[in-house]
Amino acid sequence: VALGLVLGVGVAVAGAGAGAVAVAVAGAGAGAGAGAGAVAVFFLPALFIAWRIRGDDPLFAGLRQFGLWIGGLGGANFRDANLENARFPGANLRHARLAGASNLRRVDFRDARNLHLAYARDTLLEDPRARELLAGGDGEGRSYAGLNLAGAYLFGARLRGADLTEANLSDADLAQADLRDATLAKTQLIGADLTRARLTGACIAAWNIDKSVALQGIDCDHVFLESGDPPKLPQPPSGAFAPGEFTKLFQEVAETMDFIVDTRLELEALRRAIQKLREGGAEGLEVRVVECKEDTIVVRVATPPEIDRERIHAQALREKELEIKLLEAESKSRENEIKLLMQKERLDDRKEMEKNHRDHIKDLFGILRPVDIHVNANAQGGDAVNKSYHQNIHGSGNVGVQGDVHGRISNIARNIGTLPAAGSGAETKLEELLDRLARELKQAPEEKAKDVAAVTRMVEMTVESAKEDNPALLSSAIEGLKKSARSLESYPAVLQIVSEVAKLLGG
């Protein structure tokens, strides 16, 4: 039944009509033993699908090509035929098989009948927009942006106001075509024939032409060199071209090849491709101009007069694509190397941070370790009197520790330097905060000597971490500073200053 449905669609697309669909579906349904009910079930979907694909619905493009292939089994077969410059005015091309023709360059399909029922897969005629334009010659005000019309026969075509942005019109016949107010931005026109075409008001931003383009007898008062709504940069800036002036001006431009690139990667790939072509024997190629036009880059390459520009242009595009792949591979390799280096640096930073943390703990315990001091006093004269004094001192006693703390913090404040981790002006503010902290800690009593020393050490660690611009180490140091300051919670001024220091450094 499914096969009958497909065959019915094929017959319908080939133009045999809905009756043939019904017959095909009915026969398939009977063969499957489904009876009249199955025929009705499959007939209606087949009719609907045939109707949609005859209307060039893109959702059914695959079925349409299949139906046209079936319909063309008994039609005229042009496979492997060279149809260059052939004329089909008024010809009935129903069931014709144009797919596989060796050459359809500049074939005149004007006024051909039933062109939409010809099997033309992988040709210009496959796109309904191109097919209608080639058959009717009227595309005024319509959009053909990005369409492949290479080698199309558009002699005298009415294309006023048409959008041909990035369309491929290479080798197309546009002689006497009306292209007034048309948009030809980034349009490929290598080898095209524009003899006596009308171009007044057209936007030719970054169009691609070379010396093979026929520009004789162009009818043009002015063009625009930058696309937009409306187009910008009129040429000439004022007045109009004198007769023959447009041809003379742009024929000189045609002595070069234009390439359009969108990224720096493509630009570098094109540069490498041109260099490779020069090394391969295409001497004389030279990048003449690199222009930025809107969101694209136009690269103009000068070529010697005797060179085959069309062949070299195509070869350069192929080489450019290969170089893009090589550059992308190189870029990916560099990214992997950078990732590995970053991972190694992070690991080294982690090890260094852990080592510093252990060293800081050792230093801290070295400061806080009790020291036993023995003083021997020897009396002079007469009997010697030996006196022994023993004092257990934490650090150096109250005055010694606080004095040392004040000196260390003051020294930090005077030698802060730059702090990449903090904002502009942070050094001055930090210096003020550290001076205040030194004064507050100096007032702490002897029993708080260990806590004062711990806060001092963490201040040193925090400032050093801020200088190194190591966010992980700085965050750890700030947390340690806050924690050590909590042991002095009975001194709110110290807690306040530490909080301001942490906030200033991003904690």
mmCIF file of all heavy atoms in Angstrom, residues 329-375:
data_model
loop_
_atom_site.group_PDB
_atom_site.id
_atom_site.type_symbol
_atom_site.label_atom_id
_atom_site.label_comp_id
_atom_site.label_asym_id
_atom_site.label_seq_id
_atom_site.Cartn_x
_atom_site.Cartn_y
_atom_site.Cartn_z
ATOM 1 N N ALA A 329 42.961 23.618 12.981
ATOM 2 C CA ALA A 329 43.669 22.538 13.687
ATOM 3 C C ALA A 329 44.812 23.111 14.521
ATOM 4 O O ALA A 329 45.035 22.696 15.662
ATOM 5 C CB ALA A 329 44.209 21.525 12.680
ATOM 6 N N GLU A 330 45.554 24.084 13.947
ATOM 7 C CA GLU A 330 46.646 24.712 14.696
ATOM 8 C C GLU A 330 46.111 25.440 15.917
ATOM 9 O O GLU A 330 46.692 25.384 17.002
ATOM 10 C CB GLU A 330 47.398 25.695 13.789
ATOM 11 C CG GLU A 330 48.178 25.029 12.676
ATOM 12 C CD GLU A 330 48.794 26.037 11.721
ATOM 13 O OE1 GLU A 330 48.724 27.251 12.025
ATOM 14 O OE2 GLU A 330 49.333 25.627 10.688
ATOM 15 N N SER A 331 44.991 26.146 15.728
ATOM 16 C CA SER A 331 44.384 26.889 16.836
ATOM 17 C C SER A 331 43.950 25.950 17.951
ATOM 18 O O SER A 331 44.161 26.216 19.135
ATOM 19 C CB SER A 331 43.194 27.703 16.332
ATOM 20 O OG SER A 331 42.541 28.357 17.391
ATOM 21 N N LYS A 332 43.336 24.813 17.550
ATOM 22 C CA LYS A 332 42.895 23.841 18.545
ATOM 23 C C LYS A 332 44.085 23.258 19.294
ATOM 24 O O LYS A 332 44.032 23.047 20.519
ATOM 25 C CB LYS A 332 42.106 22.720 17.865
ATOM 26 C CG LYS A 332 41.432 21.774 18.833
ATOM 27 C CD LYS A 332 40.525 20.798 18.106
ATOM 28 C CE LYS A 332 39.819 19.875 19.093
ATOM 29 N NZ LYS A 332 38.919 18.916 18.415
ATOM 30 N N SER A 333 45.183 23.013 18.561
ATOM 31 C CA SER A 333 46.382 22.474 19.197
ATOM 32 C C SER A 333 46.945 23.474 20.196
ATOM 33 O O SER A 333 47.341 23.111 21.310
ATOM 34 C CB SER A 333 47.432 22.150 18.133
ATOM 35 O OG SER A 333 48.625 21.709 18.728
ATOM 36 N N ARG A 334 46.955 24.764 19.816
ATOM 37 C CA ARG A 334 47.452 25.791 20.736
ATOM 38 C C ARG A 334 46.556 25.903 21.964
ATOM 39 O O ARG A 334 47.030 26.087 23.086
ATOM 40 C CB ARG A 334 47.533 27.145 20.022
ATOM 41 C CG ARG A 334 48.720 27.278 19.092
ATOM 42 C CD ARG A 334 48.964 28.713 18.720
ATOM 43 N NE ARG A 334 47.846 29.282 17.999
ATOM 44 C CZ ARG A 334 47.702 29.268 16.677
ATOM 45 N NH1 ARG A 334 48.640 28.683 15.949
ATOM 46 N NH2 ARG A 334 46.659 29.803 16.100
ATOM 47 N N GLU A 335 45.237 25.796 21.745
ATOM 48 C CA GLU A 335 44.313 25.858 22.874
ATOM 49 C C GLU A 335 44.576 24.718 23.858
ATOM 50 O O GLU A 335 44.550 24.922 25.080
ATOM 51 C CB GLU A 335 42.871 25.787 22.368
ATOM 52 C CG GLU A 335 42.391 27.051 21.685
ATOM 53 C CD GLU A 335 40.975 26.918 21.159
ATOM 54 O OE1 GLU A 335 40.369 25.845 21.370
ATOM 55 O OE2 GLU A 335 40.484 27.873 20.544
ATOM 56 N N ASN A 336 44.833 23.520 23.312
ATOM 57 C CA ASN A 336 45.120 22.376 24.189
ATOM 58 C C ASN A 336 46.412 22.600 24.967
ATOM 59 O O ASN A 336 46.509 22.267 26.159
ATOM 60 C CB ASN A 336 45.216 21.089 23.369
ATOM 61 C CG ASN A 336 43.869 20.662 22.811
ATOM 62 O OD1 ASN A 336 42.821 20.991 23.370
ATOM 63 N ND2 ASN A 336 43.876 19.934 21.704
ATOM 64 N N GLU A 337 47.423 23.180 24.281
ATOM 65 C CA GLU A 337 48.683 23.460 24.965
ATOM 66 C C GLU A 337 48.480 24.471 26.084
ATOM 67 O O GLU A 337 49.024 24.333 27.181
ATOM 68 C CB GLU A 337 49.716 23.980 23.959
ATOM 69 C CG GLU A 337 50.211 22.927 22.986
ATOM 70 C CD GLU A 337 51.184 23.505 21.979
ATOM 71 O OE1 GLU A 337 51.527 24.704 22.111
ATOM 72 O OE2 GLU A 337 51.606 22.779 21.066
ATOM 73 N N ILE A 338 47.681 25.502 25.784
ATOM 74 C CA ILE A 338 47.421 26.538 26.796
ATOM 75 C C ILE A 338 46.674 25.946 27.979
ATOM 76 O O ILE A 338 46.963 26.259 29.142
ATOM 77 C CB ILE A 338 46.618 27.700 26.167
ATOM 78 C CG1 ILE A 338 47.495 28.453 25.159
ATOM 79 C CG2 ILE A 338 46.107 28.653 27.240
ATOM 80 C CD1 ILE A 338 46.750 29.496 24.356
ATOM 81 N N LYS A 339 45.689 25.069 27.703
ATOM 82 C CA LYS A 339 44.946 24.430 28.790
ATOM 83 C C LYS A 339 45.869 23.609 29.681
ATOM 84 O O LYS A 339 45.772 23.648 30.918
ATOM 85 C CB LYS A 339 43.842 23.540 28.206
ATOM 86 C CG LYS A 339 42.648 24.303 27.625
ATOM 87 C CD LYS A 339 41.616 23.342 27.075
ATOM 88 C CE LYS A 339 40.433 24.098 26.488
ATOM 89 N NZ LYS A 339 39.428 23.176 25.903
ATOM 90 N N LEU A 340 46.786 22.858 29.037
ATOM 91 C CA LEU A 340 47.722 22.059 29.814
ATOM 92 C C LEU A 340 48.633 22.941 30.659
ATOM 93 O O LEU A 340 48.915 22.641 31.826
ATOM 94 C CB LEU A 340 48.565 21.181 28.873
ATOM 95 C CG LEU A 340 47.826 20.030 28.175
ATOM 96 C CD1 LEU A 340 48.747 19.336 27.178
ATOM 97 C CD2 LEU A 340 47.310 19.027 29.212
ATOM 98 N N LEU A 341 49.109 24.055 30.060
ATOM 99 C CA LEU A 341 49.961 24.973 30.807
ATOM 100 C C LEU A 341 49.212 25.589 31.981
ATOM 101 O O LEU A 341 49.753 25.735 33.081
ATOM 102 C CB LEU A 341 50.480 26.075 29.878
ATOM 103 C CG LEU A 341 51.557 25.664 28.874
ATOM 104 C CD1 LEU A 341 51.870 26.811 27.927
ATOM 105 C CD2 LEU A 341 52.828 25.227 29.604
ATOM 106 N N MET A 342 47.936 25.970 31.728
ATOM 107 C CA MET A 342 47.133 26.566 32.795
ATOM 108 C C MET A 342 46.893 25.563 33.916
ATOM 109 O O MET A 342 46.946 25.916 35.103
ATOM 110 C CB MET A 342 45.802 27.071 32.224
ATOM 111 C CG MET A 342 45.933 28.278 31.312
ATOM 112 S SD MET A 342 44.351 28.824 30.629
ATOM 113 C CE MET A 342 43.522 29.379 32.122
ATOM 114 N N GLN A 343 46.615 24.305 33.534
ATOM 115 C CA GLN A 343 46.427 23.277 34.553
ATOM 116 C C GLN A 343 47.703 23.083 35.360
ATOM 117 O O GLN A 343 47.659 22.931 36.594
ATOM 118 C CB GLN A 343 46.012 21.964 33.896
ATOM 119 C CG GLN A 343 44.604 21.981 33.304
ATOM 120 C CD GLN A 343 44.290 20.720 32.536
ATOM 121 O OE1 GLN A 343 45.137 19.844 32.368
ATOM 122 N NE2 GLN A 343 43.074 20.630 32.028
ATOM 123 N N LYS A 344 48.853 23.095 34.670
ATOM 124 C CA LYS A 344 50.129 22.935 35.372
ATOM 125 C C LYS A 344 50.374 24.124 36.301
ATOM 126 O O LYS A 344 50.827 23.965 37.440
ATOM 127 C CB LYS A 344 51.269 22.828 34.352
ATOM 128 C CG LYS A 344 52.634 22.587 34.990
ATOM 129 C CD LYS A 344 53.692 22.429 33.919
ATOM 130 C CE LYS A 344 55.050 22.136 34.559
ATOM 131 N NZ LYS A 344 55.495 23.200 35.460
ATOM 132 N N GLU A 345 50.065 25.350 35.820
ATOM 133 C CA GLU A 345 50.251 26.530 36.650
ATOM 134 C C GLU A 345 49.346 26.486 37.875
ATOM 135 O O GLU A 345 49.764 26.846 38.975
ATOM 136 C CB GLU A 345 49.973 27.796 35.827
ATOM 137 C CG GLU A 345 51.056 28.109 34.809
ATOM 138 C CD GLU A 345 50.725 29.348 33.999
ATOM 139 O OE1 GLU A 345 49.666 29.955 34.246
ATOM 140 O OE2 GLU A 345 51.533 29.703 33.120
ATOM 141 N N ARG A 346 48.085 26.049 37.655
ATOM 142 C CA ARG A 346 47.173 25.953 38.795
ATOM 143 C C ARG A 346 47.695 24.933 39.816
ATOM 144 O O ARG A 346 47.610 25.153 41.022
ATOM 145 C CB ARG A 346 45.776 25.569 38.315
ATOM 146 C CG ARG A 346 44.996 26.723 37.703
ATOM 147 C CD ARG A 346 43.529 26.396 37.629
ATOM 148 N NE ARG A 346 43.253 25.325 36.700
ATOM 149 C CZ ARG A 346 42.941 25.512 35.419
ATOM 150 N NH1 ARG A 346 42.883 26.739 34.929
ATOM 151 N NH2 ARG A 346 42.694 24.483 34.626
ATOM 152 N N LEU A 347 48.227 23.828 39.305
ATOM 153 C CA LEU A 347 48.771 22.814 40.204
ATOM 154 C C LEU A 347 49.981 23.361 40.950
ATOM 155 O O LEU A 347 50.120 23.162 42.161
ATOM 156 C CB LEU A 347 49.158 21.566 39.401
ATOM 157 C CG LEU A 347 49.696 20.369 40.212
ATOM 158 C CD1 LEU A 347 48.640 19.905 41.212
ATOM 159 C CD2 LEU A 347 50.085 19.233 39.269
ATOM 160 N N ASP A 348 50.860 24.063 40.220
ATOM 161 C CA ASP A 348 52.039 24.652 40.854
ATOM 162 C C ASP A 348 51.621 25.698 41.888
ATOM 163 O O ASP A 348 52.218 25.790 42.973
ATOM 164 C CB ASP A 348 52.954 25.294 39.805
ATOM 165 C CG ASP A 348 53.601 24.253 38.907
ATOM 166 O OD1 ASP A 348 53.604 23.061 39.289
ATOM 167 O OD2 ASP A 348 54.092 24.619 37.820
ATOM 168 N N ASP A 349 50.595 26.506 41.514
ATOM 169 C CA ASP A 349 50.109 27.525 42.453
ATOM 170 C C ASP A 349 49.549 26.876 43.712
ATOM 171 O O ASP A 349 49.765 27.369 44.823
ATOM 172 C CB ASP A 349 49.026 28.386 41.801
ATOM 173 C CG ASP A 349 49.586 29.323 40.752
ATOM 174 O OD1 ASP A 349 50.823 29.531 40.768
ATOM 175 O OD2 ASP A 349 48.810 29.822 39.921
ATOM 176 N N ARG A 350 48.831 25.783 43.503
ATOM 177 C CA ARG A 350 48.252 25.083 44.661
ATOM 178 C C ARG A 350 49.356 24.543 45.580
ATOM 179 O O ARG A 350 49.275 24.676 46.809
ATOM 180 C CB ARG A 350 47.357 23.948 44.172
ATOM 181 C CG ARG A 350 46.581 23.254 45.289
ATOM 182 C CD ARG A 350 45.762 22.114 44.723
ATOM 183 N NE ARG A 350 44.958 21.502 45.761
ATOM 184 C CZ ARG A 350 43.735 21.892 46.070
ATOM 185 N NH1 ARG A 350 43.198 22.918 45.419
ATOM 186 N NH2 ARG A 350 43.059 21.289 47.025
ATOM 187 N N LYS A 351 50.373 23.940 44.953
ATOM 188 C CA LYS A 351 51.482 23.425 45.752
ATOM 189 C C LYS A 351 52.209 24.554 46.463
ATOM 190 O O LYS A 351 52.584 24.434 47.632
ATOM 191 C CB LYS A 351 52.456 22.656 44.843
ATOM 192 C CG LYS A 351 51.899 21.352 44.290
ATOM 193 C CD LYS A 351 52.924 20.657 43.407
ATOM 194 C CE LYS A 351 52.384 19.332 42.878
ATOM 195 N NZ LYS A 351 53.359 18.676 41.974
ATOM 196 N N GLU A 352 52.421 25.660 45.754
ATOM 197 C CA GLU A 352 53.101 26.798 46.359
ATOM 198 C C GLU A 352 52.285 27.381 47.500
ATOM 199 O O GLU A 352 52.827 27.748 48.552
ATOM 200 C CB GLU A 352 53.352 27.876 45.286
ATOM 201 C CG GLU A 352 54.120 29.092 45.764
ATOM 202 C CD GLU A 352 55.558 28.760 46.162
ATOM 203 O OE1 GLU A 352 56.075 27.715 45.688
ATOM 204 O OE2 GLU A 352 56.150 29.535 46.924
ATOM 205 N N MET A 353 50.964 27.456 47.300
ATOM 206 C CA MET A 353 50.092 27.985 48.343
ATOM 207 C C MET A 353 50.148 27.089 49.585
ATOM 208 O O MET A 353 50.229 27.574 50.722
ATOM 209 C CB MET A 353 48.655 28.076 47.827
ATOM 210 C CG MET A 353 47.673 28.685 48.828
ATOM 211 S SD MET A 353 46.030 28.887 48.114
ATOM 212 C CE MET A 353 45.565 27.149 47.949
ATOM 213 N N GLU A 354 50.104 25.769 49.354
ATOM 214 C CA GLU A 354 50.168 24.850 50.479
ATOM 215 C C GLU A 354 51.509 24.960 51.191
ATOM 216 O O GLU A 354 51.579 24.934 52.430
ATOM 217 C CB GLU A 354 49.943 23.422 49.997
ATOM 218 C CG GLU A 354 48.524 23.167 49.493
ATOM 219 C CD GLU A 354 48.360 21.786 48.884
ATOM 220 O OE1 GLU A 354 49.400 21.096 48.715
ATOM 221 O OE2 GLU A 354 47.210 21.410 48.564
ATOM 222 N N LYS A 355 52.582 25.106 50.427
ATOM 223 C CA LYS A 355 53.907 25.253 51.032
ATOM 224 C C LYS A 355 53.992 26.532 51.840
ATOM 225 O O LYS A 355 54.484 26.552 52.965
ATOM 226 C CB LYS A 355 54.975 25.252 49.931
ATOM 227 C CG LYS A 355 56.403 25.413 50.458
ATOM 228 C CD LYS A 355 57.391 25.385 49.312
ATOM 229 C CE LYS A 355 58.824 25.560 49.828
ATOM 230 N NZ LYS A 355 59.016 26.845 50.511
ATOM 231 N N ASN A 356 53.481 27.636 51.240
ATOM 232 C CA ASN A 356 53.493 28.912 51.953
ATOM 233 C C ASN A 356 52.676 28.822 53.243
ATOM 234 O O ASN A 356 53.046 29.392 54.271
ATOM 235 C CB ASN A 356 52.951 30.025 51.065
ATOM 236 C CG ASN A 356 53.892 30.370 49.930
ATOM 237 O OD1 ASN A 356 55.096 30.095 50.016
ATOM 238 N ND2 ASN A 356 53.366 30.960 48.867
ATOM 239 N N HIS A 357 51.527 28.123 53.113
ATOM 240 C CA HIS A 357 50.676 27.998 54.292
ATOM 241 C C HIS A 357 51.413 27.243 55.406
ATOM 242 O O HIS A 357 51.373 27.646 56.585
ATOM 243 C CB HIS A 357 49.398 27.251 53.917
ATOM 244 C CG HIS A 357 48.407 27.138 55.042
ATOM 245 N ND1 HIS A 357 47.788 28.237 55.588
ATOM 246 C CD2 HIS A 357 47.950 26.059 55.726
ATOM 247 C CE1 HIS A 357 46.988 27.841 56.563
ATOM 248 N NE2 HIS A 357 47.071 26.517 56.669
ATOM 249 N N ARG A 358 52.116 26.153 55.033
ATOM 250 C CA ARG A 358 52.875 25.407 56.035
ATOM 251 C C ARG A 358 53.998 26.252 56.627
ATOM 252 O O ARG A 358 54.219 26.259 57.838
ATOM 253 C CB ARG A 358 53.452 24.131 55.407
ATOM 254 C CG ARG A 358 52.414 23.063 55.069
ATOM 255 C CD ARG A 358 53.081 21.738 54.765
ATOM 256 N NE ARG A 358 53.926 21.816 53.583
ATOM 257 C CZ ARG A 358 53.520 21.553 52.362
ATOM 258 N NH1 ARG A 358 52.255 21.200 52.139
ATOM 259 N NH2 ARG A 358 54.353 21.633 51.342
ATOM 260 N N ASP A 359 54.680 27.012 55.743
ATOM 261 C CA ASP A 359 55.766 27.872 56.221
ATOM 262 C C ASP A 359 55.233 28.951 57.156
ATOM 263 O O ASP A 359 55.864 29.282 58.164
ATOM 264 C CB ASP A 359 56.497 28.522 55.041
ATOM 265 C CG ASP A 359 57.276 27.498 54.226
ATOM 266 O OD1 ASP A 359 57.501 26.379 54.752
ATOM 267 O OD2 ASP A 359 57.643 27.812 53.076
ATOM 268 N N HIS A 360 54.060 29.495 56.788
ATOM 269 C CA HIS A 360 53.488 30.549 57.629
ATOM 270 C C HIS A 360 53.097 30.005 59.001
ATOM 271 O O HIS A 360 53.267 30.676 60.023
ATOM 272 C CB HIS A 360 52.256 31.143 56.935
ATOM 273 C CG HIS A 360 52.591 31.907 55.699
ATOM 274 N ND1 HIS A 360 51.708 32.080 54.655
ATOM 275 C CD2 HIS A 360 53.738 32.530 55.319
ATOM 276 C CE1 HIS A 360 52.279 32.780 53.703
ATOM 277 N NE2 HIS A 360 53.512 33.066 54.084
ATOM 278 N N ILE A 361 52.566 28.779 59.019
ATOM 279 C CA ILE A 361 52.200 28.158 60.290
ATOM 280 C C ILE A 361 53.448 27.940 61.143
ATOM 281 O O ILE A 361 53.470 28.209 62.362
ATOM 282 C CB ILE A 361 51.465 26.824 60.063
ATOM 283 C CG1 ILE A 361 50.112 27.087 59.373
ATOM 284 C CG2 ILE A 361 51.255 26.089 61.380
ATOM 285 C CD1 ILE A 361 49.156 27.923 60.185
ATOM 286 N N LYS A 362 54.525 27.458 60.483
ATOM 287 C CA LYS A 362 55.776 27.251 61.203
ATOM 288 C C LYS A 362 56.301 28.563 61.773
ATOM 289 O O LYS A 362 56.748 28.635 62.926
ATOM 290 C CB LYS A 362 56.825 26.626 60.283
ATOM 291 C CG LYS A 362 56.538 25.187 59.896
ATOM 292 C CD LYS A 362 57.619 24.667 58.948
ATOM 293 C CE LYS A 362 57.313 23.232 58.515
ATOM 294 N NZ LYS A 362 58.333 22.745 57.561
ATOM 295 N N ASP A 363 56.269 29.613 60.931
ATOM 296 C CA ASP A 363 56.725 30.927 61.391
ATOM 297 C C ASP A 363 55.889 31.411 62.555
ATOM 298 O O ASP A 363 56.391 31.997 63.517
ATOM 299 C CB ASP A 363 56.659 31.945 60.249
ATOM 300 C CG ASP A 363 57.679 31.649 59.178
ATOM 301 O OD1 ASP A 363 58.602 30.852 59.445
ATOM 302 O OD2 ASP A 363 57.537 32.197 58.065
ATOM 303 N N LEU A 364 54.576 31.189 62.448
ATOM 304 C CA LEU A 364 53.676 31.648 63.496
ATOM 305 C C LEU A 364 53.987 30.949 64.817
ATOM 306 O O LEU A 364 54.061 31.570 65.876
ATOM 307 C CB LEU A 364 52.223 31.381 63.089
ATOM 308 C CG LEU A 364 51.145 31.888 64.052
ATOM 309 C CD1 LEU A 364 51.269 33.386 64.256
ATOM 310 C CD2 LEU A 364 49.761 31.522 63.533
ATOM 311 N N PHE A 365 54.201 29.622 64.773
ATOM 312 C CA PHE A 365 54.533 28.894 65.979
ATOM 313 C C PHE A 365 55.923 29.277 66.487
ATOM 314 O O PHE A 365 56.178 29.259 67.692
ATOM 315 C CB PHE A 365 54.463 27.383 65.735
ATOM 316 C CG PHE A 365 53.077 26.837 65.846
ATOM 317 C CD1 PHE A 365 52.350 26.520 64.713
ATOM 318 C CD2 PHE A 365 52.479 26.684 67.100
ATOM 319 C CE1 PHE A 365 51.058 26.041 64.815
ATOM 320 C CE2 PHE A 365 51.194 26.193 67.201
ATOM 321 C CZ PHE A 365 50.467 25.872 66.063
ATOM 322 N N GLY A 366 56.806 29.678 65.578
ATOM 323 C CA GLY A 366 58.119 30.143 66.003
ATOM 324 C C GLY A 366 58.018 31.429 66.792
ATOM 325 O O GLY A 366 58.726 31.649 67.774
ATOM 326 N N ILE A 367 57.094 32.305 66.404
ATOM 327 C CA ILE A 367 56.904 33.571 67.112
ATOM 328 C C ILE A 367 56.326 33.328 68.498
ATOM 329 O O ILE A 367 56.694 33.964 69.481
ATOM 330 C CB ILE A 367 55.972 34.501 66.310
ATOM 331 C CG1 ILE A 367 56.676 34.954 65.046
ATOM 332 C CG2 ILE A 367 55.542 35.702 67.141
ATOM 333 C CD1 ILE A 367 55.774 35.694 64.104
ATOM 334 N N LEU A 368 55.377 32.367 68.563
ATOM 335 C CA LEU A 368 54.634 32.164 69.803
ATOM 336 C C LEU A 368 55.319 31.213 70.775
ATOM 337 O O LEU A 368 54.839 31.016 71.883
ATOM 338 C CB LEU A 368 53.234 31.628 69.473
ATOM 339 C CG LEU A 368 52.384 32.532 68.563
ATOM 340 C CD1 LEU A 368 51.048 31.876 68.316
ATOM 341 C CD2 LEU A 368 52.205 33.901 69.215
ATOM 342 N N ARG A 369 56.424 30.562 70.379
ATOM 343 C CA ARG A 369 57.062 29.571 71.239
ATOM 344 C C ARG A 369 57.667 30.246 72.463
ATOM 345 O O ARG A 369 58.407 31.230 72.343
ATOM 346 C CB ARG A 369 58.152 28.837 70.459
ATOM 347 C CG ARG A 369 58.787 27.688 71.269
ATOM 348 C CD ARG A 369 59.853 26.985 70.461
ATOM 349 N NE ARG A 369 59.303 26.424 69.239
ATOM 350 C CZ ARG A 369 59.619 26.838 68.024
ATOM 351 N NH1 ARG A 369 60.496 27.825 67.882
ATOM 352 N NH2 ARG A 369 59.086 26.297 66.962
ATOM 353 N N PRO A 370 57.369 29.758 73.675
ATOM 354 C CA PRO A 370 57.945 30.345 74.897
ATOM 355 C C PRO A 370 59.465 30.243 74.878
ATOM 356 O O PRO A 370 60.047 29.271 74.392
ATOM 357 C CB PRO A 370 57.348 29.508 76.029
ATOM 358 C CG PRO A 370 56.133 28.865 75.416
ATOM 359 C CD PRO A 370 56.460 28.653 73.994
ATOM 360 N N VAL A 371 60.126 31.256 75.406
ATOM 361 C CA VAL A 371 61.585 31.314 75.448
ATOM 362 C C VAL A 371 62.029 31.467 76.912
ATOM 363 O O VAL A 371 61.537 32.361 77.622
ATOM 364 C CB VAL A 371 62.119 32.494 74.616
ATOM 365 C CG1 VAL A 371 63.640 32.543 74.705
ATOM 366 C CG2 VAL A 371 61.651 32.370 73.183
ATOM 367 N N ASP A 372 62.881 30.584 77.329
ATOM 368 C CA ASP A 372 63.427 30.680 78.678
ATOM 369 C C ASP A 372 64.707 31.503 78.658
ATOM 370 O O ASP A 372 65.614 31.226 77.855
ATOM 371 C CB ASP A 372 63.748 29.291 79.243
ATOM 372 C CG ASP A 372 62.473 28.511 79.537
ATOM 373 O OD1 ASP A 372 61.483 29.149 79.921
ATOM 374 O OD2 ASP A 372 62.502 27.267 79.388
ATOM 375 N N ILE A 373 64.781 32.523 79.520
ATOM 376 C CA ILE A 373 65.947 33.404 79.567
ATOM 377 C C ILE A 373 66.585 33.302 80.956
ATOM 378 O O ILE A 373 65.889 33.455 81.979
ATOM 379 C CB ILE A 373 65.555 34.861 79.284
ATOM 380 C CG1 ILE A 373 64.986 34.964 77.879
ATOM 381 C CG2 ILE A 373 66.746 35.796 79.451
ATOM 382 C CD1 ILE A 373 64.516 36.343 77.525
ATOM 383 N N HIS A 374 67.839 33.025 81.037
ATOM 384 C CA HIS A 374 68.580 32.939 82.299
ATOM 385 C C HIS A 374 69.559 34.094 82.366
ATOM 386 O O HIS A 374 70.328 34.306 81.426
ATOM 387 C CB HIS A 374 69.344 31.612 82.399
ATOM 388 C CG HIS A 374 68.435 30.414 82.368
ATOM 389 N ND1 HIS A 374 67.829 29.913 83.503
ATOM 390 C CD2 HIS A 374 68.016 29.626 81.330
ATOM 391 C CE1 HIS A 374 67.081 28.882 83.185
ATOM 392 N NE2 HIS A 374 67.188 28.691 81.872
ATOM 393 N N VAL A 375 69.559 34.814 83.471
ATOM 394 C CA VAL A 375 70.464 35.965 83.655
ATOM 395 C C VAL A 375 71.356 35.698 84.847
ATOM 396 O O VAL A 375 70.848 35.437 85.948
ATOM 397 C CB VAL A 375 69.651 37.269 83.881
ATOM 398 C CG1 VAL A 375 70.595 38.430 84.071
ATOM 399 C CG2 VAL A 375 68.712 37.485 82.729
#
